[in-house]
Amino acid sequence: MSQFHQKKVAMINDLSGYGRCSLTVAVPILSAMKVQCCPVPTSILSNHTGFPVYFFDDYTAKLPAYLEKWGELGLEFDGIVSGFLGSVEQIRIVEDMIGRFKGPETKVVVDPIMGDNGKKYATYTEPMCEGMRRLVGLGDVVTPNLTEACILTDRPYRREGWTIRELDALAEDIRSLGARSVVITGISQGVYLANYVAEQGREPVICRTKRVGRERPGTGDVFASVVSAAFVRGFPLERAVRLASSFVRDCIRKSEELEIPVENGVCFEELMDRLTRIR
Ligand SMILES: Nc1ncnc2c1ncn2[C@@H]1O[C@H](COP(=O)(O)OP(=O)(O)O)[C@@H](O)[C@H]1O
Ligand SMILES: Cc1ncc(COP(=O)(O)O)c(C=O)c1O
């Protein structure tokens, strides 16, 4: 696909100026992992929505013209990655974009950001859920957390006690939407957090890590960014997930050690040299 060995990804996500999430996480992490990251900003916020106040500017109306120029320039990508999407229209635009820019070798990663802790985000309407089910069907890799996996498959959520057999069925249902490989994140198993990895053509595996620190915004974005960069570089998905989960865990540990306020996310910058050394 590309002229050079280096990989290039189109990254669809919001730009939150303060608080370490979405594009302000994805751009540096992909860069550190030697992947060129080309943003498609879906909205611009002064800071993420976990703060008491924020400025929000929806970029939906501008996206078709933005992407039109990429089309005119004949740009091609090794990966297309989508993160937070705020409306049915944005989901449609991403579907169209994949149709237009996905070449035979392009890998599509969809992080279906729809909810957490058993609940859909307040802004997530049923038509958006339907749209996300279609978009997930275009993914080579999709990375729902357990809540999102339940929403996508219309299954009841529970926090603990998922058996392997149940996770197999959950992943299979997501696969039946069209997704090739599925990573279900944030599965609580006592003192552990697990990621269930069902890669096309391989036996499913569970990657567990010790749960550390407090819940912080942006950890899902850090996780999806590391997985996307590694996967686009051609690493097996299980290895990509192991790299991402240990990186997130250590970023949380460091953030606790440096007493970073929770709403400021994780101080991944402190551990960035580790990402640059991955071969
Ligand atoms: N407190 C934590 N301790 C250790 N690892 C964590 C912690 N929080 C997140 N992770 C890792 O990051 C992954 C993604 O985080 P998660 O919070 O599930 O994402 P999302 O924001 O999409 O819900 C988890 O599956 C786990 O591997
Ligand atoms: C606009 C925006 N994008 C991204 C995030 C980060 O989401 P996550 O914690 O699921 O990675 C937040 C969190 O508040 C947000 O407000």
Side-chain angles (χ1 to χ4, degrees):
M1 136 108 9
S2 53
Q3 191 178 351
F4 306 104
H5 179 66
Q6 197 196 31
K7 304 294 186 192
K8 193 193 324 174
V9 161
M11 174 64 67
I12 305 142
N13 220 326
D14 62 81
L15 175 67
S16 291
Y18 190 83
R20 295 192 188 91
C21 64
S22 40
L23 281 175
T24 59
V25 161
V27 175
I29 287 185
L30 267 72
S31 303
M33 292 179 71
K34 303 179 177 63
V35 174
Q36 182 186 352
C37 184
C38 310
V40 178
T42 52
S43 54
I44 297 183
L45 295 93
S46 52
N47 46 269
H48 69 60
T49 57
F51 288 93
V53 295
Y54 56 88
F55 166 80
F56 170 80
D57 190 21
D58 184 356
Y59 212 60
T60 311
K62 313 268 176 37
L63 288 175
Y66 187 109
L67 294 168
E68 186 60 34
K69 295 301 163 201
W70 278 15
E72 286 174 29
L73 291 169
L75 301 187
E76 294 181 339
F77 298 94
D78 303 288
I80 300 174
V81 180
S82 83
F84 181 79
L85 300 173
S87 62
V88 171
E89 203 181 337
Q90 283 193 350
I91 297 173
R92 272 267 177 239
I93 291 171
V94 177
E95 286 179 272
D96 290 348
M97 183 192 170
I98 293 170
R100 182 164 186 181
F101 289 93
K102 180 175 163 55
E105 305 296 324
T106 310
K107 291 171 173 163
V108 174
V109 181
V110 178
D111 188 10
I113 302 177
M114 307 164 82
D116 210 355
N117 296 313
K119 292 215 169 62
K120 260 194 296 219
Y121 292 133
T123 52
Y124 236 87
T125 60
E126 192 43 43
M128 287 173 74
C129 293
E130 269 312 307
M132 191 50 91
R133 287 185 190 108
R134 282 196 316 272
L135 185 58
V136 156
L138 303 179
D140 291 299
V141 173
V142 301
T143 59
N145 61 30
L146 189 52
T147 301
E148 292 153 349
C150 290
I151 299 170
L152 286 169
T153 58
D154 239 334
R155 282 166 187 264
Y157 169 87
R158 63 176 201 282
R159 193 179 137 80
E160 288 268 351
W162 287 78
T163 64
I164 296 293
R165 195 185 282 259
E166 286 174 319
L167 291 170
D168 283 341
L170 196 51
E172 208 37 60
D173 274 7
I174 296 172
R175 276 252 196 72
S176 71
L177 297 172
R180 282 171 169 242
S181 298
V182 181
V183 181
I184 303 173
T185 70
I187 303 165
S188 184
Q189 298 184 333
V191 295
Y192 295 100
L193 267 181
N195 296 289
Y196 174 94
V197 185
E199 183 168 17
Q200 197 186 32
R202 293 181 187 227
E203 277 296 299
V205 286
I206 295 268
C207 306
R208 292 206 301 188
T209 179
K210 261 271 170 62
R211 186 203 306 266
V212 299
R214 289 164 289 173
E215 225 175 88
R216 289 171 177 268
T219 52
D221 293 319
V222 174
F223 182 87
S225 298
V226 175
V227 167
S228 299
F231 183 67
V232 168
R233 277 179 54 179
F235 293 15
L237 189 56
E238 181 184 342
R239 181 167 176 228
V241 168
R242 289 193 192 282
L243 282 171
S245 73
S246 62
F247 187 69
V248 170
R249 180 199 60 211
D250 294 349
C251 284
I252 297 174
R253 272 197 184 125
K254 191 73 183 176
S255 303
E256 297 290 339
E257 186 190 317
L258 297 184
E259 298 178 10
I260 305 288
V262 166
E263 67 274 18
N264 286 13
V266 292
C267 56
F268 61 87
E269 303 87 352
E270 297 288 331
L271 301 177
M272 204 76 132
D273 56 334
R274 205 161 107 184
L275 297 179
T276 65
R277 288 197 302 268
I278 294 169
R279 301 245 176 274

